[in-house]
Amino acid sequence: QVQPVESGGGLVQPGGSLRLSCAASGSIFSTYATGWYRQAPGKQRELVAYITNGGSTNYADSVKGRFSIFRDNTKNTVDLQMSSLKPEDTAVYYCNVVDAPRSVIDDYWGQGTQVTVSS
């Protein structure tokens, strides 16, 4: 396993919750911070949250107060707990390194997991 593996996506109604999980291995993920990105159809991929190896977290304004990123030590994953979901959260969600050279980031995109928020 080289690329990260994302899971936990699905269909949820507005106001609902989902927990995404990222299984990542390799020294690269202990060198840089790990983040969750998302990409909606026709839009650029955007960083929504990240956590450093020291445990510091940061969130995009659009998800602040609704999403929480954390390390699940029992599963060795980086998870994203999403609540109060909105239709505009609909996207494919990916995990990858953060604050790394673009050539490094581009080498570690996984398949992503689809999140659809709709009534």
Side-chain angles (χ1 to χ4, degrees):
Q1 182 178 323
V2 177
Q3 271 59 47
V5 178
E6 302 94 342
S7 62
L11 175 64
V12 64
Q13 294 184 344
S17 299
L18 282 174
R19 179 173 171 173
L20 308 183
S21 186
C22 171
S25 62
S27 61
I28 194 71
F29 289 94
S30 61
T31 301
Y32 301 101
T34 300
W36 279 95
Y37 301 75
R38 68 185 181 188
Q39 185 170 28
K43 295 186 177 181
Q44 293 292 316
R45 196 150 30 206
E46 63 174 341
L47 178 65
V48 298
Y50 68 84
I51 183 169
T52 70
N53 290 314
S56 298
T57 60
N58 195 71
Y59 302 90
D61 288 341
S62 60
V63 307
K64 197 169 298 181
R66 301 188 297 118
F67 290 11
S68 178
I69 187 171
F70 61 97
R71 299 184 186 277
D72 187 327
N73 293 323
T74 66
K75 301 189 301 180
N76 295 315
T77 60
V78 174
D79 290 4
L80 184 70
Q81 177 65 52
M82 307 184 294
S83 62
S84 301
L85 284 163
K86 306 173 180 179
E88 50 262 46
D89 294 319
T90 296
V92 178
Y93 284 70
Y94 304 85
C95 63
N96 207 335
V97 292
V98 178
D99 289 334
R102 181 60 181 268
S103 60
V104 174
I105 297 175
D106 284 346
D107 199 39
Y108 287 94
W109 293 116
Q111 293 299 306
T113 184
Q114 176 72 49
V115 172
T116 302
V117 184
S118 176
S119 59

